[in-house]
Amino acid sequence: MPNPWTGKGNPYTKQEVRDRLQNTLNQNKAIIAAGAGTGISAKFIEKGGADLIIIYNSGRFRMSGHGSTAGLMAYGDANAVAMEIGEFEVLPVVEEIPVICGVHGSDPRRRMWYHLLKVKEMGFSGVNNFPTHSIVDGHFRQVLEETGMGFAKEVEMIRIATKMDLFSIVYVATPEEARQMAEAGADAVIAHVGTTVGGSIGVVEASCTMDEAVERTQQIIDAAKEVNPDTFFLAHGGPINTPDDVRIILDRTTAHGFVGASSLERMGVEKSLTDLTKQFKSLTFSTDTN
C-alpha cells in the first residue's frame, strides 16, 4: 500500500526509500542524489529526476558563493542551518522525492536521539552524516578523536537513526569507516574521495587521480558489502564531477550511482547564469533606433 502521507514535504519510511532506490536500479538506471542549499535548487533538481535530495549546511555557503568546506568550519550551527533550510525552503517546495537531512553527529550540545526526533517530525525521510569528520585527517583528526568529537559519534548517530526507522546515507573515506557504518545499519554508503574540483570555488587539483578514485571507491564498497550486501553504494568528490566522470566510475566499480552537491547545484548555477547573462549582454541596438 502506498504511504498516504508522502509527498509535499512528508516523510517516507526507511523501507519505502529503499524500495524507491531499488526500483531505480531495477530499471537499469543509476541512483542520483543531489545536495540542495536553496528551495529553487531543490525544485528543479526534482524536475531533473533525482532520486534523493540531501540538505547540508554547506549548501547554504556554497550557494552564497563560498567554498563548501565552510560547512566544516565554526561559521554557524550546522544542525540548525540544515533544519532551517528544510523547514522554510526545501520541504515546502519538493513535490514527491525523499528529502534527507544533514546531521552533525558529533555536535556535543545535542542530545542526538532528541534531535533526530525533530528531524523526523519536520518531514525528512532520512539522515546524512554531514558535516563529517571522515574527510578530516592528520593531527586535527587525531585531536577530534581523542577529545570525544570523532567519527564514532557519527556512527552512533546512524545507529540511533536506524532504530527510529530513518533511512541513512553516509559519507565515508576509508574501508574501515564503511564497515563501521554498515554495522550501524547505514542503508547507503558514499565513497568520499575528496573535495570536488572545478568551478569558481572548487579546488584546483583533485586529491586523487581518477584511477585512484576508482580504486578507493571499490575498496570502500567491498568493505561495506562484507557486512551488508544489501547496502546501496554511491560515489562522490575529487575528480568525479561531470556525467562523463560518473560514467567511468559506474563502468569500473560496482557503485550504484553518484551524489552530487557542488557538481550539480553549484556548477549548474555558475554556468547557466554566466551564459545567460552573456546572451543578454550580447544584445545591441540596431542603427535605426539610435
Side-chain angles (χ1 to χ4, degrees):
M1 288 285 293
N3 184 346
W5 300 107
T6 52
K8 265 301 183 188
N10 292 312
Y12 292 91
T13 67
K14 178 186 182 78
Q15 189 58 50
E16 286 169 339
V17 179
R18 291 187 61 90
D19 290 345
R20 289 171 63 92
L21 298 184
Q22 187 59 53
N23 184 57
T24 294
L25 296 180
N26 291 345
Q27 298 176 59
N28 203 33
K29 295 179 180 179
I31 295 169
I32 302 298
T38 66
I40 194 73
S41 298
K43 179 180 286 189
F44 288 95
I45 285 169
E46 180 175 30
K47 286 184 181 297
D51 297 285
L52 297 173
I53 288 175
I54 309 176
I55 298 173
Y56 345 79
N57 71 319
S58 62
R60 172 158 291 175
F61 291 107
R62 180 166 55 244
M63 299 311 288
S64 296
H66 311 297
S68 297
T69 305
L72 292 170
M73 305 298 289
Y75 300 149
D77 184 334
N79 283 315
V81 168
M83 292 287 277
E84 183 179 272
I85 296 172
E87 181 175 12
F88 298 114
E89 297 192 49
V90 174
L91 289 170
V93 301
V94 168
E95 293 286 345
E96 195 269 338
I97 66 174
V99 181
I100 309 301
C101 184
V103 176
H104 193 187
S106 63
D107 185 344
R109 303 164 303 169
R110 292 296 198 286
R111 292 173 293 163
M112 194 48 60
W113 63 269
Y114 179 62
H115 180 65
L116 293 183
L117 284 174
K118 293 192 290 183
V119 167
K120 189 170 186 176
E121 183 180 45
M122 183 76 71
F124 289 100
S125 297
V127 296
N128 167 256
N129 61 324
F130 194 90
T132 176
H133 296 167
S134 69
I135 56 177
V136 178
D137 58 14
H139 177 67
F140 184 47
R141 173 66 180 271
Q142 181 180 341
V143 170
L144 290 171
E145 298 291 340
E146 291 179 356
T147 55
M149 291 175 281
F151 186 73
K153 293 287 188 179
E154 299 174 34
V155 175
E156 181 59 24
M157 182 271 288
I158 296 301
R159 200 181 311 278
I160 297 169
T162 299
K163 292 180 180 179
M164 291 183 175
D165 196 37
L166 282 163
F167 176 86
S168 55
I169 176 169
V170 300
Y171 284 118
V172 302
T174 68
E176 178 55 32
E177 291 170 352
R179 278 188 285 269
Q180 292 176 39
M181 282 298 195
E183 289 169 353
D187 296 285
V189 168
I190 310 163
H192 196 308
V193 297
T195 303
T196 303
V197 299
S200 64
I201 51 177
V203 297
V204 177
E205 293 186 9
S207 57
C208 61
T209 66
M210 182 59 78
D211 287 342
E212 290 169 337
V214 166
E215 182 179 4
R216 287 172 57 185
T217 298
Q218 191 60 55
Q219 288 173 346
I220 286 169
I221 291 172
D222 291 342
K225 189 177 289 187
E226 288 177 3
V227 178
N228 182 7
D230 293 328
T231 306
F232 297 100
F233 300 106
L234 300 102
H236 173 81
I240 313 167
N241 187 16
T242 67
D244 288 341
D245 298 331
V246 177
R247 176 76 270 160
I248 293 171
I249 293 295
L250 296 179
D251 288 343
R252 296 177 59 188
T253 74
T254 55
H256 298 125
F258 171 69
V259 175
S262 292
S263 51
L264 264 166
E265 184 178 37
R266 175 171 63 82
M267 300 297 191
V269 170
E270 287 185 10
K271 179 170 173 51
S272 61
L273 284 181
T274 301
D275 291 349
L276 185 58
T277 304
K278 285 181 177 179
Q279 290 177 38
F280 277 112
K281 282 299 294 178
S282 69
L283 298 173
T284 59
F285 292 103
S286 66
T287 305
D288 296 338
T289 60
N290 280 322

